Amino acid sequence: MTILVTGGAGFIGSNFVHYWVAHHPEDRIIVLDKLTYAGNLRNLESVANKIRFVKGDICDHELVFSLVKDVDRIVHFAAESHNDRAAMDPESFLRTNIFGTYNLLDAARQHQIKRFHHVSTDEVFGHLPLDGGSFNEQSLYAPRSIYPASKAASDHFVRAFYHTHGLPITISNCSNNYGPYHFPEKIIPLFICNLREGKKVPVYGDGLYVRDWIHVEDHCRGIEAILLKGRVGETYCLGGKESEISNLELTKKLLALTDRDESFIEYVKDRPGHDRRYSIDYSKAQRELGWEPTIGIDEGLKNTVDWYANHQAWVDEVRSGAYQDYYEKQYVTR
Ligand code: NAD
Ligand code: DAU
């Protein structure tokens, strides 16, 4: 089995590659990644001799068609993924998340691949009030900002290729991930890095926004379960193990884990159009796939803080920008 993993040098994609290499060593993995600011080849350093890495853009028709012809499955992670960047540079979100997904679908259809798994987000369903409710597979699409609007469009194209062309697709809509190799622009890695460096952490607005946190390893197991047992044409919602907390509660946990006090909290201007709450009902995945998350927030955060403490060289390269030279050193100049 040959699997094309798009965005495999990013946070979740690289965790998935590590997971797949460890659990399915008989499979071949090709990673296609443009190495935007979010892609870091260091994330794949320890599995470099077990995979093929191709630097390239999912919007590149010729490249994508030439790669897909030798592939059985595609697991599609590549995306612009950060809400705070979307308002400043919406076009790259539309281009990669919508057109790039379409390009992959078109290649997958022409080469009749066995499975196209699309990795999507719970943000496509909009947001929830603080006092209740959870997203599930029947939730209506109601994105409220650029990034989730572009992901919603990509989900629709994926389903359109299933209904129109019979492409064997599956989709997962997952909640907020955290864990190793998380780029320190998102709240958990940013706050861990700041606190370890003795800097304050910027809490947006009142800090009472709620997220449902899933450890990235649980997410990777969920995608594996969908690839192996999921029904073609279906969507599965994946969420965390009793890990719905406000940003302020999350920040206090991180303060405790890094031996800092509340004077390190800085309340800053809110994110425009900030979604109040996300929550996932993953009972369909539990029922049909036998999947459920296993890592609770306290255990997961402790492991994550420890991972950042034990990977100071990775943090230093990312914080200084030096990680972006690593591809040239490894692949171009040797
Ligand atoms: P990330 O930003 O860490 O990584 C994205 C990767 O895609 C990077 O390696 C980047 O170089 C690559 N990429 C970007 N544009 C590309 C292009 N045009 N061609 C090829 N490669 C390109 O993202 P992530 O947090 O790992 O998210 C991965 C996927 O999971 C995304 O589709 C995202 O929408 C989805 N998702 C993320 C979360 C989360 O909490 N992070 C939750 C649910 C779903
Ligand atoms: O729900 C899934 C989504 O989770 C994914 O689809 C996205 O790719 C991923 O980035 C994440 O989106 P969020 O916008 O929820 O993640 P972020 O880490 O940017 O923000 C989490 C919460 O923390 C949110 O309420 C905003 C707040 N925040 C964030 C940052 C970066 C702060 O208060 N301060 C910050 O500095």
Side-chain angles (χ1 to χ4, degrees):
M1 191 70 79
T2 299
I3 306 182
L4 178 67
V5 179
T6 72
F11 162 47
I12 308 175
S14 63
N15 275 281
F16 179 80
V17 171
H18 285 279
Y19 183 89
W20 205 267
V21 165
H23 293 86
H24 303 275
E26 67 287 3
D27 288 345
R28 284 184 65 225
I29 291 191
I30 304 172
V31 169
L32 171 61
D33 197 297
K34 188 179 174 182
L35 296 183
T36 66
Y37 80 92
N40 182 349
L41 257 195
R42 284 276 190 211
N43 298 358
L44 297 173
E45 195 175 11
S46 62
V47 289
N49 60 355
K50 298 191 170 131
I51 62 168
R52 178 178 165 211
F53 178 78
V54 178
K55 184 181 178 190
D57 192 332
I58 57 167
C59 301
D60 180 337
H61 185 272
E62 209 176 307
L63 173 64
V64 164
F65 273 65
S66 73
L67 287 176
V68 169
K69 85 174 157 25
D70 301 319
V71 156
D72 302 293
R73 294 172 176 157
I74 296 175
V75 185
H76 176 34
F77 293 93
E80 289 294 336
S81 71
H82 191 37
N83 276 302
D84 288 333
R85 289 179 184 255
M88 294 176 292
D89 178 21
E91 273 186 37
S92 60
F93 284 71
L94 270 64
R95 192 175 166 280
T96 289
N97 299 2
I98 304 176
F99 183 72
T101 301
Y102 165 77
N103 198 35
L104 287 163
L105 288 165
D106 200 24
R109 169 181 75 90
Q110 292 208 17
H111 291 298
Q112 300 185 331
I113 69 152
K114 296 192 182 80
R115 179 70 70 87
F116 185 101
H117 181 72
H118 179 55
V119 181
S120 192
T121 170
D122 59 359
E123 295 191 25
V124 298
F125 304 124
H127 70 161
L128 296 161
L130 285 177
D131 59 358
S134 292
F135 299 130
N136 64 28
E137 293 76 7
Q138 271 72 51
S139 297
L140 295 180
Y141 274 60
R144 300 172 71 250
S145 49
I146 304 285
Y147 160 67
S150 67
K151 291 294 289 187
S154 68
D155 291 12
H156 293 320
F157 278 104
V158 174
R159 284 196 193 92
F161 269 71
Y162 169 65
H163 292 295
T164 310
H165 300 296
L167 185 72
I169 64 100
T170 39
I171 299 177
S172 47
N173 293 98
C174 187
S175 61
N176 285 59
N177 285 228
Y178 68 104
Y181 303 113
H182 205 180
F183 193 81
E185 63 179 352
K186 311 278 169 69
I187 189 170
I188 290 182
L190 175 70
F191 283 19
I192 293 173
C193 292
N194 277 14
L195 292 170
R196 284 179 41 79
E197 290 168 15
K199 294 182 185 148
K200 292 196 175 201
V201 293
V203 172
Y204 296 168
D206 58 15
L208 301 180
Y209 296 87
V210 170
R211 296 293 181 263
D212 173 7
W213 291 100
I214 178 171
H215 192 277
V216 66
E217 195 180 308
D218 279 333
H219 187 186
C220 293
R221 276 196 311 104
I223 295 171
E224 177 192 44
I226 296 170
L227 286 171
L228 302 183
K229 300 184 222 161
R231 285 185 292 138
V232 164
E234 291 290 313
T235 292
Y236 295 90
C237 284
L238 305 176
K241 183 185 175 191
E242 292 156 21
S243 297
E244 230 184 279
I245 53 172
S246 73
N247 294 338
L248 212 47
E249 289 171 283
L250 171 70
T251 305
K252 288 179 184 167
K253 287 180 187 291
L254 293 174
L255 290 170
L257 285 167
T258 53
D259 285 326
R260 304 289 184 193
D261 61 33
E262 292 188 19
S263 68
F264 281 83
I265 296 179
E266 186 177 20
Y267 289 93
V268 300
K269 194 165 166 276
D270 211 347
R271 172 185 281 177
H274 199 164
D275 286 343
R276 191 41 107 174
R277 175 172 163 263
Y278 305 141
S279 171
I280 285 276
D281 167 1
Y282 56 78
S283 51
K284 178 179 174 185
Q286 209 168 21
R287 209 172 46 246
E288 290 193 11
L289 311 172
W291 173 89
E292 62 184 14
T294 58
I295 305 172
I297 188 78
D298 289 318
E299 180 193 351
L301 283 181
K302 167 134 190 14
N303 292 345
T304 305
V305 169
D306 288 347
W307 188 89
Y308 280 82
N310 293 330
H311 291 78
Q312 193 57 47
W314 183 93
V315 173
D316 290 343
E317 271 200 353
V318 170
R319 297 282 260 184
S320 70
Y323 72 105
Q324 290 185 302
D325 303 331
Y326 182 61
Y327 171 78
E328 305 296 324
K329 285 193 198 130
Q330 282 302 104
Y331 286 80
V332 182
T333 52
R334 72 180 177 189

